[in-house]
Amino acid sequence: SQTIHQWPATLVQPVGSPLSLECTVEGTSNPNLYWYRQAAGRGLQLLFYSVGIGQISSEVPQNLSASRPQDRQFILSSKKLLLSDSGFYLCACSEAGDYGYTFGSGTRLTVV
Amino acid sequence: EDQVTQSPEALRLQEGESSSLNCSYTVSGLRGLFWYRQDPGKGPEFLFTLYSAGEEKEKERLKATLTKKESFLHITAPKPEDSATYLCAVRLDSNYQLIWGAGTKLIIKP
């Protein structure tokens, strides 16, 4: 079964600072990878997804970007954080033909 | 527009008081419906996948059912440790992405 490692668990960053959140996957090859954001009391908002190395699709225009430098590594970045970037960020993966998602433990980002 | 709606937003029960959570969907071509449990500050944890109307799945005190328009998550004789937010999502025929409901926050009082 798949395992997702996501770090850090919490992060407090000033407005205008850069961001890098990393997610790595074990137990599978060539997974589909996803970055979600979850606002308090809200559903999951898909930010980016990737079906392979270097292949990134963006769902929502925003201040963030994503990269997939290796098969099982997915990175969420920003050059300059905004207050509105605060939230709970989740990395997820799924395998081809497998409909279920496995989630990481999440990163609570607070931009101050 | 494809949409998933969960109700109620929050549900408070006494320990042992059975109830149901609802997930209604309006989508063009359902490939699968998923239930997840999410504890505060944690990522969602997979519970069930349902693929066709009439299907049912059980796990401990939880049972998920599916019709052509909605899914129910029945919880029987809940315990305080069942307190969590329960999320529903659907996958469409057209792609592998999931459409998520906003969740139901379940609180079980001892």
Side-chain angles (χ1 to χ4, degrees):
Chain A
S1 64
Q2 306 139 28
T3 303
I4 295 185
H5 301 281
Q6 189 179 342
W7 67 93
T10 60
L11 190 60
V12 180
Q13 292 284 98
V15 169
S17 64
L19 174 73
S20 181
L21 301 181
E22 187 167 343
C23 163
T24 59
V25 182
E26 291 181 356
T28 184
S29 296
N30 196 31
N32 295 328
L33 297 175
Y34 310 85
W35 277 112
Y36 280 92
R37 178 167 58 202
Q38 186 176 35
R42 302 285 296 277
L44 296 171
Q45 179 189 33
L46 180 63
L47 302 176
F48 300 95
Y49 66 92
S50 170
V51 299
I53 296 174
Q55 300 179 62
I56 308 294
S57 296
S58 174
E59 287 296 301
V60 181
Q62 59 213 320
N63 186 42
L64 303 169
S65 62
S67 62
R68 184 171 178 174
Q70 299 180 43
D71 180 44
R72 288 173 286 181
Q73 183 185 28
F74 206 21
I75 298 172
L76 183 68
S77 304
S78 174
K79 292 182 179 179
K80 289 185 179 181
L81 285 168
L82 306 172
L83 287 174
S84 58
D85 292 323
S86 294
F88 190 51
Y89 289 83
L90 289 159
C91 179
C93 74
S94 66
E95 293 179 314
D98 180 355
Y99 298 160
Y101 283 20
T102 300
F103 284 86
S105 54
T107 296
R108 172 73 59 192
L109 172 66
T110 304
V111 183
V112 296
Chain B
E1 180 186 355
D2 299 316
Q3 196 169 344
V4 176
T5 304
Q6 290 188 248
S7 62
E9 289 186 11
L11 182 62
R12 296 175 184 267
L13 301 172
Q14 288 295 132
E15 184 174 0
E17 180 184 2
S18 302
S19 188
S20 297
L21 313 182
N22 178 264
C23 171
S24 63
Y25 58 91
T26 307
V27 299
S28 51
L30 177 72
R31 179 65 69 89
L33 186 142
F34 304 83
W35 282 99
Y36 285 82
R37 169 192 170 127
Q38 186 175 23
D39 293 303
K42 302 286 183 61
E45 176 187 343
F46 172 77
L47 292 174
F48 304 108
T49 307
L50 301 167
Y51 294 105
S52 57
E55 188 175 0
E56 298 183 353
K57 289 194 177 173
E58 289 188 63
K59 180 180 180 181
E60 296 180 355
R61 295 176 292 281
L62 299 175
K63 182 168 90 171
T65 62
L66 181 65
T67 72
K68 289 186 178 180
K69 293 185 177 181
E70 59 191 349
S71 176
F72 291 95
L73 185 65
H74 307 277
I75 183 162
T76 302
K79 299 180 178 182
E81 54 261 42
D82 295 321
S83 297
T85 295
Y86 290 85
L87 298 169
C88 167
V90 301
R91 180 168 171 174
L92 307 181
D93 279 337
S94 56
N95 62 58
Y96 45 80
Q97 297 175 40
L98 299 182
I99 301 173
W100 293 86
T104 294
K105 185 174 182 178
L106 178 65
I107 300 170
I108 308 298
K109 299 179 181 180

